[in-house]
């Protein structure tokens, strides 16, 4: 018979062992291992990472090395802003006694890594700032952006009124789309417009497919839902490997929008491949797609870009 208590006991013991290992490794073994390797190679951990790894794996390991360092200068390097990166690199080299003549590439590599690390943090703040901005029907720029979305998706059909049942034609729920932007604010609209403007033919194709009699879905609502997915992946830091590989320098809002476009295109393919029985199962398939993307993002070499 299955002994639930014994299984739980084994799980608890495993957790305790892992916690003890992390404690001893962080406080004792790591220090002596780094010291021993420095004596053997003549290089600090940061230099060894640059010699061994590339791409996202390099930046990720540099970030961890800085974060878990007991040296305050190195710890603070992960929080440095773009304007202070050059000075920060100099401080790191001074702290670690790195001779720029003996290791000419260190300065270049460290600067690139710090720009990616600080850039990711700044990108999240920028995206969060836009997300927190609600759609305002009294804001002329917001209204123009909404009408731009209609004109991009329905170029041959005139919108008869600002508040109209026609909005359902592009997948909004009610007569006034502003109510659908509550969760993601103006960010949801900006994403929809970006995809429609930069991938117009694909947007028309997906909008047409979304009207399928059996497998149809609400194009705009799903688009806003995918904005939430892109935002949550950014917030949880799941996008780090992708952006560290995709962007050699500082990731920007443009790169976030590009990832959103990838999600829109891939979700539509996924939906029609899965052939759900009904739109009522949307949340189940949405989560299934979300898990698929999260698995892809675990790969050090990942770069999820829209290729048409």
């Amino acid at each position: 018979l299955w002994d639930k208590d014994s299984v739980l006991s084994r799980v608890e013991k495993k957790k305790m062992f892992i916690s003890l290992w992390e404690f001893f490794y962080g406080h004792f073994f790591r220090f002596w291992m780094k010291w021993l390797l420095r004596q053997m190679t003549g290089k600090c951990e940061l230099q060894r990472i640059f010699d061994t790894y590339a791409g996202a794996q390099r930046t990720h390991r540099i970030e961890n090395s800085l974060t878990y360092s007991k040296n305050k200068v190195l710890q603070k390097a992960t929080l440095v802003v773009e304007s202070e990166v050059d000075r920060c690199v100099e401080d790191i080299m001074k702290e670690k006694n790195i001779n720029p003549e003996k290791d000419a590439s260190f300065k270049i590599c460290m600067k690139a890594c710090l720009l990616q690390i600080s850039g990711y943090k700044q990108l999240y703040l920028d995206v969060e700032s836009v997300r927190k901005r609600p759609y305002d029907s009294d804001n002329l720029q917001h209204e123009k952006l909404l009408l731009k979305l209609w004109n991009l998706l329905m170029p041959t059909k005139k919108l008869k009124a600002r508040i109209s049942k026609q909005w359902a034609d592009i997948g909004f729920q009610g007569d006034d789309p502003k109510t659908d932007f509550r969760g993601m604010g103006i960010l949801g609209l900006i994403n929809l417009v970006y995809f429609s403007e930069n991938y117009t033919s694909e947007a028309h194709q997906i909008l047409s497919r979304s009207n399928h009699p059996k497998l149809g879905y609400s194009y705009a609502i799903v688009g806003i839902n995918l904005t939430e997915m892109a935002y949550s992946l950014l917030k949880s830091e799941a996008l780090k490997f992708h952006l560290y590989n995709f962007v050699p320098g500082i990731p920007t809002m443009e790169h976030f929008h590009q990832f959103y476009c990838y999600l829109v295109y891939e979700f539509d393919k996924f939906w029609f491949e899965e052939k759900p029985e009904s739109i009522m199962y949307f949340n189940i398939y949405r989560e299934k797609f979300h898990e698929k993307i999260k698995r892809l993002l675990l790969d050090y070499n990942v770069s999820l870009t829209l290729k048409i």
Side-chain angles (χ1 to χ4, degrees):
L1 292 173
W2 177 56
D3 189 341
K4 185 178 178 182
D5 290 335
S6 66
V7 172
L8 287 173
S9 177
R10 286 199 297 272
V11 170
E12 290 301 320
K13 285 178 181 178
K14 187 177 180 181
K15 285 182 179 178
M16 186 170 70
F17 176 78
I18 292 171
S19 296
L20 283 171
W21 166 250
E22 288 177 345
F23 174 81
F24 282 108
Y25 178 76
H27 289 77
F28 303 103
F29 300 144
R30 186 171 184 270
F31 171 80
W32 289 109
M33 192 181 295
K34 285 170 63 179
W35 179 86
L36 182 62
L37 286 169
R38 176 131 202 183
Q39 301 309 307
M40 292 170 61
T41 64
K43 294 183 176 184
C44 70
E45 184 179 50
L46 299 173
Q47 290 172 298
R48 295 195 301 273
I49 291 171
F50 287 136
D51 288 346
T52 312
Y53 303 99
Q57 193 170 8
R58 169 188 281 182
T59 304
H60 177 65
R61 286 177 178 272
I62 288 293
E63 187 172 10
N64 281 343
S65 179
L66 295 172
T67 301
Y68 295 113
S69 173
K70 292 182 179 180
N71 185 303
K72 297 296 181 184
V73 172
L74 270 62
Q75 282 181 11
K76 291 178 181 177
T78 60
L79 305 173
V80 71
V81 295
E82 182 188 350
S83 60
E84 297 174 357
V85 165
D86 286 322
R87 184 170 61 80
C88 184
V89 173
E90 296 287 350
D91 291 343
I92 290 171
M93 293 179 75
K94 185 178 177 182
E95 286 291 320
K96 304 305 291 183
N97 296 315
I98 297 170
N99 188 329
E101 293 178 3
K102 289 183 179 179
D103 192 347
S105 64
F106 182 89
K107 192 172 185 178
I108 297 168
C109 293
M110 180 56 74
K111 180 177 180 179
C113 286
L114 289 184
L115 286 174
Q116 288 186 316
I117 294 165
S118 62
Y120 190 97
K121 288 180 169 65
Q122 187 57 52
L123 174 58
Y124 169 69
L125 294 175
D126 292 343
V127 170
E128 178 71 344
S129 175
V130 179
R131 186 193 71 84
K132 283 184 174 178
R133 203 179 307 151
Y135 183 92
D136 182 3
S137 54
D138 293 326
N139 186 314
L140 186 60
Q141 295 303 316
H142 291 189
E143 288 288 286
K144 282 183 177 180
L145 202 59
L146 181 59
L147 292 175
K148 184 177 183 178
L149 177 65
W150 174 270
N151 291 328
L152 283 166
L153 292 174
M154 307 291 279
T156 61
K157 195 172 182 180
K158 188 175 180 180
L159 186 66
K160 295 176 183 176
R162 166 62 181 79
I163 297 177
S164 166
K165 294 188 183 299
Q166 284 180 285
W167 289 111
D169 295 346
I170 59 173
F172 285 103
Q173 286 182 326
D175 296 349
D176 190 348
K178 76 173 185 179
T179 58
D180 293 325
F181 293 119
R182 284 174 186 159
M184 286 291 108
I186 196 68
L187 181 65
L189 176 57
I190 291 172
N191 275 166
L192 283 167
V193 170
Y194 184 94
F195 181 68
S196 302
E197 190 168 32
N198 290 275
Y199 299 95
T200 308
S201 61
E202 288 74 25
H204 288 167
Q205 179 188 356
I206 292 173
L207 176 61
S208 176
R209 282 159 62 89
S210 75
N211 290 317
H212 190 280
K214 280 188 69 178
L215 300 174
Y217 58 84
S218 300
Y219 176 85
I221 295 299
V222 169
I224 295 168
N225 202 286
L226 292 173
T227 290
E228 192 280 329
M229 187 181 295
Y231 164 76
S232 67
L233 289 168
L234 178 72
K235 184 179 181 180
S236 69
E237 301 189 345
L239 283 189
K240 278 189 173 180
F241 293 162
H242 159 68
L243 287 174
Y244 288 168
N245 284 321
F246 186 50
V247 189
I250 303 170
T252 64
M253 285 290 289
E254 179 78 11
H255 301 117
F256 177 78
H257 295 326
Q258 282 289 331
F259 177 69
Y260 168 81
C261 293
Y262 170 86
L263 290 182
V264 172
Y265 192 79
E266 290 299 318
F267 178 80
D268 179 72
K269 283 201 304 183
F270 174 83
W271 182 262
F272 279 88
E273 285 168 2
E274 292 289 324
K275 295 182 171 60
E277 292 178 31
S278 161
I279 191 64
M280 300 300 290
Y281 294 96
F282 173 77
N283 286 337
I284 294 172
Y285 285 91
R286 187 254 190 215
E287 194 53 36
K288 192 175 178 181
F289 178 70
H290 192 190
E291 290 301 319
K292 176 186 176 182
I293 297 298
K294 284 195 287 187
R295 284 195 301 273
L296 292 173
L297 290 170
L298 291 173
D299 184 353
Y300 274 126
N301 300 310
V302 68
S303 182
L304 302 182
T305 55
L306 181 51
K307 295 170 184 174
I308 300 169

